[in-house]
Amino acid sequence: MSKVTFTKSKENHDESISKHGRSTSSEKGLATFIFSLKNEVGGLIEALKLFQGKQVNLVHIESRKSRRGNSDIEIYVDCDGSHEQLQELTHLLRNHTDITEIILSNISTLPEDDMADELWFPKKISDLDHCSKRVLMELDADHPGYNDDSYHKRRKYFADMALSYKHGDPIPRIDFTEEEVRTWSVVFRELNKLYPSYACKEYLKNLPLLTRYCNYSEDNIPQLEDVSCFLKEQTGFTIRPVAGYLSSRDFLAGLAFRVFHCTQYIRHSSNPLYTPEPDTCHELLGHVPLLAEPSFAQFSQEIGLASLGASDDDIKKLASCYVFTVEFGLCKQEGRLRAYGAGLLSSASELKHALSDKARTFPFDPKVTCNQEFQITTFQEAYFVSESFEEAKTKMREFAKAIRRPFTVHYNPYTQSVEVLKDTSSIGGLVKDTRHELDVVEDALKRLNKHMRI
């Protein structure tokens, strides 16, 4: 999952710099920077720190092949900030990167609620075809596989396959290399030693099912198509292959449709127990077992539904809640702390740390958790504990009610679409459907009572 958020994409402009309207130093504006990185360790991280240092909000980020016809990869960044902030950032970027294009424009003066109403978001599951292509997939210079040409080629193979995928297609089956299987084996073996003592009971219940139905084993990397079919039968979730990091907005939007974006590539073999990014070991061992749990699946979907049409600020808060629950969450079971977060259940070292006396733990409260800073290269500074998935879900529902948008949404599982409820007509249709469901429940209770009298 990405660490940034996305609102609206803008059309490309042919000119190098174009300005629309007038702006003052304090007026907020949108900007697009397109640049290539200098060949140095940590180049992308250092470039993004410039945005953070000037307090410029990252709206969308992706990598793409250079339009200049060479083999370079360009970084495409949408952001917003004051005219003065963007001007200062431009000077800094010129010193640290090779800028190829800058596009500046004024932000709309619409009130926040009106802007939320105009934000595009997927209404049907096939709309995810448009969201899943906006990825960041460039390896940073400090990535373990950065200098490995064969690893770059392998990653390109996975990326091309994911980028060509469309809703309804079967997920291509992968012929994993011996080196990839060996890497998986190390991760699988080390983590399975820890699960009985550290993983939550729901995880331990579902992992044997994945062994039985999806061929999870030390010497076999499961196929995403098999996993997707299994999840669909268990909770209605399906898997969609993705080429790399998605924005928080795009990733959460997938959850609204019970779609989990999943990588297929394997971490570099030089350090099997470390990865600076999600890989299929993280997805299959961390996320999938709990996506097979109905209460957890519902919790994940409700975060996704709350994100549709939300402001950038609310997306950031929802993403933080997601990270500190679905990725790094802890729960209490039988008087002990257990892990249910995928980032913990796929990392032997952080799993042991999070459940040790050294870790700082706090009760899960979305109003607090949403402001917690996420650590990328170190253990988290705080972990949040839920009494149960149901409790976490209840708290997230209350938190979602505070999200500012002039509508709410309802997921229709029959059409796999989202219905926007913002007028009496749309709400009336939902009431009619709900009454029918209640009639079914009432009829079932009557028949049960009649049977029990007999």
Side-chain angles (χ1 to χ4, degrees):
M1 145 176 203
S2 177
K3 310 303 182 296
V4 297
T5 56
F6 171 79
T7 51
K8 292 182 283 189
S9 61
K10 296 183 292 298
E11 296 180 357
N12 292 327
H13 295 257
D14 294 331
E15 65 231 71
S16 295
I17 300 179
S18 61
K19 297 182 181 180
H20 306 280
R22 298 178 181 177
S23 61
T24 66
S25 61
S26 61
E27 186 179 32
K28 295 273 288 187
L30 291 174
T32 297
F33 292 92
I34 303 173
F35 56 87
S36 58
L37 297 170
K38 296 178 179 179
N39 188 17
E40 56 186 24
V41 174
L44 178 57
I45 292 177
E46 291 304 313
L48 295 182
K49 282 182 179 178
L50 299 178
F51 289 81
Q52 183 180 24
K54 289 300 173 185
Q55 296 183 323
V56 172
N57 178 45
L58 289 175
V59 178
H60 173 64
I61 179 171
E62 65 179 272
S63 58
R64 65 188 190 186
K65 186 174 177 59
S66 173
R67 292 183 294 179
R68 293 179 292 178
N70 56 29
S71 60
D72 289 346
I73 296 294
E74 292 179 332
I75 306 300
Y76 179 108
V77 179
D78 285 336
C79 59
D80 66 57
S82 70
H83 179 69
E84 183 178 354
Q85 287 172 322
L86 294 174
Q87 205 169 38
E88 292 175 355
L89 176 63
T90 300
H91 291 307
L92 289 173
L93 283 173
R94 290 192 190 282
N95 293 329
H96 292 82
T97 68
D98 296 321
I99 296 181
T100 59
E101 188 172 356
I102 305 171
I103 304 166
L104 302 175
S105 62
N106 281 350
I107 214 164
S108 171
T109 57
L110 286 172
E112 184 177 349
D113 286 350
D114 290 337
M115 289 185 69
D117 196 30
E118 289 196 356
L119 284 175
W120 180 89
F121 58 85
K123 305 293 196 309
K124 52 185 185 292
I125 194 170
S126 58
D127 287 343
L128 296 179
D129 288 343
H130 304 295
C131 305
S132 301
K133 306 295 189 291
R134 298 189 285 246
V135 295
L136 177 64
M137 52 189 179
E138 176 70 1
L139 299 187
D140 203 46
D142 56 357
H143 189 286
Y146 182 77
N147 294 314
D148 187 337
D149 290 340
S150 62
Y151 187 72
H152 277 277
K153 291 178 183 178
R154 188 63 169 166
R155 287 290 294 266
K156 184 179 185 303
Y157 166 76
F158 286 112
D160 290 344
M161 195 156 43
L163 291 171
S164 64
Y165 178 86
K166 292 183 178 180
H167 170 68
D169 293 346
I171 302 174
R173 293 184 174 272
I174 305 298
D175 184 14
F176 289 102
T177 66
E178 291 184 4
E179 183 178 33
E180 288 167 338
V181 174
R182 283 196 300 271
T183 301
W184 161 271
S185 296
V186 172
V187 179
F188 186 93
R189 183 169 58 251
E190 291 304 310
L191 287 170
N192 271 269
K193 294 176 183 176
L194 301 176
Y195 289 152
S197 301
Y198 292 89
C200 66
K201 62 183 180 182
E202 292 84 359
Y203 186 96
L204 297 175
K205 179 188 73 175
N206 290 324
L207 190 59
L209 297 178
L210 289 162
T211 300
R212 178 178 178 183
Y213 294 106
C214 302
N215 201 16
Y216 271 50
S217 66
E218 184 177 327
D219 58 359
N220 178 71
I221 303 174
Q223 297 290 334
L224 292 192
E225 178 67 12
D226 295 338
V227 173
S228 186
C229 291
F230 171 78
L231 287 178
K232 189 171 185 179
E233 290 183 355
Q234 298 295 309
T235 61
F237 254 90
T238 56
I239 296 293
R240 182 183 178 110
V242 68
Y245 272 127
L246 282 175
S247 71
S248 297
R249 186 179 291 277
D250 290 338
F251 180 83
L252 294 178
L255 298 179
F257 297 86
R258 296 208 173 203
V259 171
F260 186 78
H261 287 87
C262 190
T263 56
Q264 281 186 292
Y265 54 80
I266 296 285
R267 62 193 65 184
H268 195 259
S269 61
S270 62
N271 193 350
L273 297 180
Y274 168 76
T275 177
E277 60 186 338
D279 73 332
T280 205
C281 297
H282 167 76
E283 319 281 34
L284 294 175
L285 293 172
H287 284 287
V288 167
L290 281 167
L291 286 173
E293 186 64 28
S295 60
F296 184 83
Q298 182 67 27
F299 173 74
S300 299
Q301 184 183 28
E302 292 197 8
I303 294 180
L305 289 169
S307 76
L308 299 180
S311 68
D312 292 340
D313 186 54
D314 285 329
I315 288 291
K316 183 179 179 180
K317 291 177 179 178
L318 289 168
S320 293
C321 287
Y322 176 90
V323 165
F324 287 103
T325 53
V326 177
E327 292 287 353
F328 293 97
L330 300 174
C331 60
K332 290 182 180 178
Q333 292 182 343
E334 299 176 352
R336 293 186 55 194
L337 284 182
R338 294 278 184 161
Y340 70 89
L344 300 177
L345 292 166
S346 60
S347 170
S349 57
E350 188 154 12
L351 180 58
K352 288 185 283 189
H353 168 76
L355 293 171
S356 72
D357 295 335
K358 298 178 181 179
R360 297 169 63 228
T361 60
F362 304 91
F364 173 60
D365 178 355
K367 294 179 182 178
V368 176
T369 306
C370 71
N371 296 312
Q372 180 66 37
E373 290 293 327
F374 169 69
Q375 304 300 315
I376 300 175
T377 58
T378 63
F379 294 154
Q380 300 308 309
E381 295 177 354
Y383 301 91
F384 293 89
V385 182
S386 299
E387 295 293 333
S388 66
F389 296 146
E390 289 301 321
E391 182 209 48
K393 185 165 59 178
T394 299
K395 289 183 176 181
M396 278 305 303
R397 281 176 179 168
E398 290 301 312
F399 181 73
K401 291 177 182 178
I403 291 177
R404 295 182 61 190
R405 56 183 182 181
F407 58 84
T408 190
V409 295
H410 173 257
Y411 179 68
N412 186 327
Y414 305 111
T415 60
Q416 293 184 297
S417 62
V418 167
E419 300 164 352
V420 177
L421 306 176
K422 61 179 180 179
D423 52 40
T424 55
S425 176
S426 57
I427 296 172
L430 178 60
V431 170
K432 183 179 179 180
D433 291 341
T434 303
R435 283 175 178 167
H436 172 70
E437 297 296 328
L438 290 174
D439 286 342
V440 173
V441 173
E442 182 182 7
D443 181 60
L445 289 172
K446 287 180 178 178
R447 292 173 183 272
L448 179 61
N449 288 335
K450 184 178 179 180
H451 175 76
M452 291 179 69
R453 289 193 195 102
I454 294 175

